[in-house]
Amino acid sequence: MPVTLALCKQRLPLPELLARLGLFDAPPRSGNHPCPIHSERNGSAFSMQHTRGVWLWICHGKCAAGGDEISFLEHFGSLSRRNAIHRYQELCGFSPRNGFHPNPIATHRKPAATQVPHPMIDFPNPLTAGSFSDCEQVANLRSVPTSTITAMSKEGLLAFGNVCGLPSWLVLDGSRKLAEARRMDGERYPCAKSLGERKTHTLRGSQKNWPLGLREGTAPILLVEGSGDFVAAHYFCSFTKRSATPWQPVAMLGASVKTLHPDAIPLLSGRRVRIVPHADEAGAKAGLQWAKLLGSLQCQVDGFDLSRLTKNDGSPVSDLNDCTTLLPGQEPELTQLFL
Ligand SMILES: [Zn+2]
């Protein structure tokens, strides 16, 4: 059954589309607003109008462009018109999966302009599930039991291979949207291509606005920052696996994510999400930003404050990974993480 665009426009008119993409807290009214396409902060270059039953937008500023919902997605996501239509139909709930769209168009999207720099580091070849000793090495690096790492490897959330010629471990998921590598020896990667020295490499094709590990379901989500906390979240959430409410660990691999990947929106809408930000200023800022994005998707959002916890060496906890080496006696505080 062909899905007419008119039906889509009824279901998800421009103001709702903008809110659904997390670009506005609530569906914006007609009139002038900061342009979400060229990430305008305080301006009003983006004008919206509802005339004769149709929504139209125009950016009088940098974009110098305008049109309907589909052309918005074309400009916002750097999509071809064909892919923008497909994306719009998906956002309206007509996806290949639910049978409304029997001939899905391959969606190889260019990342949106906000996602630069484009990752240039290639995936390892071969990419393996790793030996027991590989898993043990990562477990020691992250201060978690080896069983956490082997379980993640089995689930396809962790893999091994050479990145920039160096033995590395990767976090990834079945979505093929995001993968990040770290060195097996815990050292930093040397300069490569135009990139400086760094602790992690985001691999080619990655889109940082994808919440890593996000799956369909109703389990409450434990949302953390970075690959280290992703591993720690798996360790802590594993205790809830057999309970009535098993938690699903999900990570944002970057504090500066301002919009969510469109494919994440239907999977997140209405879910319960507990954010565990890093206990520093940048972490708190990121946590608030994500809470805002999730709030616009009708998620039930709350946060867990790590700053009152202390490590067993007496230093303050700065992230969830630090909680794997807590000062004895503080464990009861941490059990509140899953209440
Ligand atoms: Zn603009």
Side-chain angles (χ1 to χ4, degrees), residues 197-215:
E197 238 183 58
R198 54 188 60 207
K199 192 167 66 175
T200 63
H201 271 313
T202 308
L203 302 183
R204 195 186 289 280
S206 284
Q207 299 170 69
K208 282 215 173 191
N209 58 0
W210 172 254
L212 190 73
L214 181 62
R215 290 191 307 262

Side-chain angles (χ1 to χ4, degrees), residues 88-116:
Y88 187 43
Q89 289 172 328
E90 271 184 354
L91 286 167
C92 290
F94 301 113
S95 70
R97 251 179 314 174
N98 64 25
F100 277 103
H101 204 269
N103 296 310
I105 301 158
T107 49
H108 287 291
R109 290 176 301 278
K110 282 188 235 158
T114 48
Q115 288 156 237
V116 290

Side-chain angles (χ1 to χ4, degrees), residues 34-40 45-46 57-65:
C35 176
I37 302 171
H38 75 269
S39 304
E40 201 178 32
F46 188 79
W57 64 275
I58 185 163
C59 170
H60 302 282
K62 220 175 183 176
C63 306

Side-chain angles (χ1 to χ4, degrees), residues 74-296:
E74 275 182 77
H75 283 88
F76 180 69
S78 310
L79 302 180
S80 67
R81 181 152 182 92
R82 192 175 145 99
N83 283 350
I85 290 173
H86 185 56
R87 164 71 41 228
Y88 187 43
Q89 289 172 328
E90 271 184 354
L91 286 167
C92 290
F94 301 113
S95 70
R97 251 179 314 174
N98 64 25
F100 277 103
H101 204 269
N103 296 310
I105 301 158
T107 49
H108 287 291
R109 290 176 301 278
K110 282 188 235 158
T114 48
Q115 288 156 237
V116 290
H118 190 71
M120 292 176 291
I121 303 296
D122 286 317
F123 262 80
N125 185 17
L127 186 68
T128 74
S131 63
F132 183 81
S133 114
D134 290 332
C135 292
E136 202 171 29
Q137 209 175 328
V138 174
N140 290 338
L141 273 176
R142 308 311 313 176
S143 309
V144 294
T146 308
S147 57
T148 300
I149 305 300
T150 51
M152 288 181 75
S153 162
K154 233 182 240 168
E155 281 184 59
L157 298 168
L158 203 135
F160 298 84
N162 283 347
V163 171
C164 297
L166 295 160
S168 302
W169 59 282
L170 279 71
V171 289
L172 68 177
D173 62 17
S175 72
R176 302 177 146 269
K177 292 187 173 78
L178 180 56
E180 188 181 88
R182 288 179 180 233
R183 283 175 63 168
M184 290 294 284
D185 57 10
E187 298 293 320
R188 297 166 74 84
Y189 289 102
C191 302
K193 305 196 179 177
S194 61
L195 305 169
E197 238 183 58
R198 54 188 60 207
K199 192 167 66 175
T200 63
H201 271 313
T202 308
L203 302 183
R204 195 186 289 280
S206 284
Q207 299 170 69
K208 282 215 173 191
N209 58 0
W210 172 254
L212 190 73
L214 181 62
R215 290 191 307 262
E216 235 171 305
T218 54
I221 290 170
L222 196 72
L223 184 67
V224 299
E225 179 189 337
S227 46
D229 276 10
F230 187 56
V231 171
H234 271 274
Y235 169 57
F236 290 118
C237 288
S238 67
F239 300 119
T240 72
K241 265 202 175 143
R242 283 185 205 90
S243 73
T245 44
W247 285 68
Q248 189 184 119
V250 171
M252 298 300 294
L253 299 188
S256 58
V257 172
K258 290 196 176 59
T259 58
L260 286 166
H261 193 292
D263 291 352
I265 289 164
L267 299 178
L268 281 168
S269 295
R271 296 275 287 270
R272 182 176 167 208
V273 183
R274 176 159 294 167
I275 302 174
V276 189
H278 286 183
D280 56 26
E281 212 185 311
K285 208 175 139 193
L288 284 175
Q289 179 73 41
W290 302 338
K292 211 169 112 184
L293 284 174
L294 294 165
S296 71

